[in-house]
């Protein structure tokens, strides 16, 4: 009987947030991304992760999980068609590989999942949008030639659209390095204002945004938190609560020892990455302000997954 009740909780949760099942999958292939209507449910995190780059056991339990890389793009493109399919520009609706081959990488690994494969855990609370980003990467490279050239260093960046104007969004880049190692370890840019900010120069501007980094056996790991106050500094009416939805797309950066732009992999960006209306929608669920049904069914789902 208890199992039946827990299963009923999952069904009710699906009715409340139709994409919530994404938390249960392993992310391959592409979690049938369009099957969720281009939307992801981001759970409330009652336990705050420690940003030390280790992902301790249980630390990210309950977070949304998804993953992406060249093998997922190949499956997705074959199933739904490629928008582009040429070296350095392979795009299907929602994903694009701009990975390039490098003399520093094994030719058998270039442009494959061993070259760059991303795993994401995401959650939220009243203060932060939390993301753990674990990347398989065959060549570790953070030796970019220019301060503002976040695309020249291993890491990732997100574009978060909380408003309606075309350029009314925040670009936030985390380089795969300790925050104290360079002024550009975290970089924020507001295109509508042509306004760049470097963590090493303006720690206070970032309002608690931070990261923890470590190298892994096959790549690197960043545990991050992005301050809602910082990301919405120019949208004073933005209120963080359950049910809030915003546009978001990801870019895993992979220079592989090359000067200038060395390549990247995009996720959740639609057919036209430059159009914010095509970015995936991310919805905050659970936590304070959620309905009783939403809170109880999230609890049931976590219990079911734990057993």
């Amino acid at each position: 009987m208890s199992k039946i009740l827990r299963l009923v909780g999952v069904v009710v949760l699906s009715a409340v947030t139709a994409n919530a099942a994404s938390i249960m999958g392993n992310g391959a292939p592409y979690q049938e991304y369009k099957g969720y209507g281009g939307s992801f449910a981001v759970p409330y995190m009652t336990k705050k992760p420690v940003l030390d780059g280790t992902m301790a056991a249980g630390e990210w339990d309950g977070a949304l999980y998804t993953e992406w890389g060249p093998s997922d793009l190949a499956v997705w493109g074959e199933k739904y068609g490629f928008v582009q399919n040429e070296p350095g520009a392979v795009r299907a609706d929602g994903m694009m590989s701009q990975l390039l081959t490098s003399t520093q990488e094994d030719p058998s690994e270039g442009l494959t999942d061993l070259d760059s494969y991303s795993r994401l855990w995401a959650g939220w609370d009243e203060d932060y949008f939390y993301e753990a980003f674990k990347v398989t990467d065959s060549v570790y490279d953070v030796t970019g030639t220019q301060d503002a050239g976040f695309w020249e260093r291993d890491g990732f960046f997100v574009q978060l659209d909380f408003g309606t104007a075309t350029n009314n969004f925040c670009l936030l880049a985390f380089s795969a390095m300790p925050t104290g190692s360079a002024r550009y370890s975290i970089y924020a840019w507001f295109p509508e204002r042509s306004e760049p900010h470097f963590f090493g120069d303006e720690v206070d501007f970032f309002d608690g945004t931070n990261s923890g980094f470590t190298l892994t056996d096959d790549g690197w790991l960043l545990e991050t938190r992005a301050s809602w106050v910082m990301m919405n500094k120019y949208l004073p009416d933005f209120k963080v609560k359950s049910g809030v939805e915003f546009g978001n797309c990801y870019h895993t950066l992979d220079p592989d020892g090359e000067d200038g732009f060395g390549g990247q992999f995009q996720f959740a960006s639609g057919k036209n990455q430059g159009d914010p209306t095509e970015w995936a929608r991310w919805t905050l669920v659970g936590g304070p302000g959620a309905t009783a049904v939403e809170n109880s069914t999230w609890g049931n789902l976590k219990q079911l997954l734990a057993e």
Side-chain angles (χ1 to χ4, degrees):
M1 181 67 176
S2 62
K3 288 184 178 179
I4 294 174
L5 289 175
R6 288 198 296 272
L7 288 173
V8 169
V10 174
V11 172
V12 173
L13 174 62
S14 297
V16 176
T17 57
N19 60 359
S22 62
I23 194 174
M24 299 179 66
N26 64 5
Y30 203 28
Q31 289 189 295
E32 289 296 328
Y33 167 69
K34 285 298 179 182
Y36 293 115
S39 183
F40 291 89
V42 182
Y44 184 84
M45 298 188 74
T46 55
K47 182 179 179 181
K48 317 310 177 191
V50 178
L51 305 184
D52 56 6
T54 60
M55 288 192 74
E59 188 174 32
W60 290 84
D61 284 357
L64 177 143
Y65 173 77
T66 189
E67 60 184 53
W68 60 87
S71 62
D72 302 314
L73 173 57
V75 170
W76 197 248
E78 287 298 322
K79 187 171 183 177
Y80 293 104
F82 290 97
V83 180
Q84 289 177 271
N85 196 355
E86 56 193 66
V90 181
R91 178 186 287 279
D93 188 4
M95 281 187 287
M96 181 177 187
S97 173
Q98 291 179 293
L99 298 174
L100 302 171
T101 56
S102 166
T103 57
Q104 295 193 31
E105 63 186 341
D106 185 332
S108 68
E109 297 179 354
L111 312 183
T112 72
D113 288 351
L114 295 175
D115 185 3
S116 180
Y117 196 84
S118 301
R119 295 170 176 84
L120 169 72
W121 292 257
W124 72 283
D125 66 17
E126 295 85 348
D127 299 314
Y128 300 109
F129 181 37
Y130 297 97
E131 297 161 293
F133 214 79
K134 189 174 185 181
V135 175
T136 299
D137 187 355
S138 56
V139 178
Y140 176 61
D141 178 19
V142 289
T143 59
T145 59
Q146 51 178 305
D147 277 358
F150 54 89
W151 57 87
E152 296 185 330
R153 288 174 285 275
D154 283 331
F156 76 96
F157 73 90
V158 293
Q159 291 174 272
L160 299 120
D161 178 34
F162 301 98
T164 56
T166 301
N167 290 320
N168 189 13
F169 64 85
C170 170
L171 184 153
L172 184 61
F174 293 90
S175 292
M177 60 175 67
T179 54
S181 60
R183 62 190 287 264
Y184 44 71
S185 59
I186 306 175
Y187 172 87
W189 182 44
F190 298 85
E192 193 170 55
R193 305 174 66 89
S194 298
E195 187 176 288
H197 299 271
F198 297 93
F199 184 82
D201 297 341
E202 305 175 76
V203 173
D204 290 345
F205 177 88
F206 286 81
D207 289 298
T209 295
N210 215 320
S211 67
F213 164 77
T214 189
L215 287 172
T216 64
D217 291 340
D218 60 0
W220 49 267
L221 168 66
L222 278 166
E223 291 183 293
T224 73
R225 68 186 188 205
S227 164
W228 297 115
V229 171
M230 186 277 293
M231 292 185 293
N232 291 282
K233 202 170 286 283
Y234 306 115
L235 293 173
D237 295 331
F238 182 83
K239 299 291 187 294
V240 179
K241 60 182 180 179
S242 183
V244 164
E245 181 184 283
F246 55 93
N248 187 13
C249 61
Y250 287 80
H251 305 248
T252 309
L253 303 166
D254 187 45
D256 284 342
E258 299 296 313
D259 292 334
F261 178 77
Q264 67 176 2
F265 198 98
Q266 300 176 15
F267 172 73
S269 56
K271 291 181 179 178
N272 176 15
Q273 191 277 322
D275 182 358
T277 65
E278 293 189 10
W279 299 349
R281 309 304 297 177
W282 299 70
T283 305
L284 308 182
V285 297
T291 65
V293 170
E294 195 176 10
N295 274 329
S296 64
T297 49
W298 272 110
N300 289 339
L301 176 59
K302 291 178 182 178
Q303 167 114 19
L304 178 67
L305 295 176
E307 294 182 357

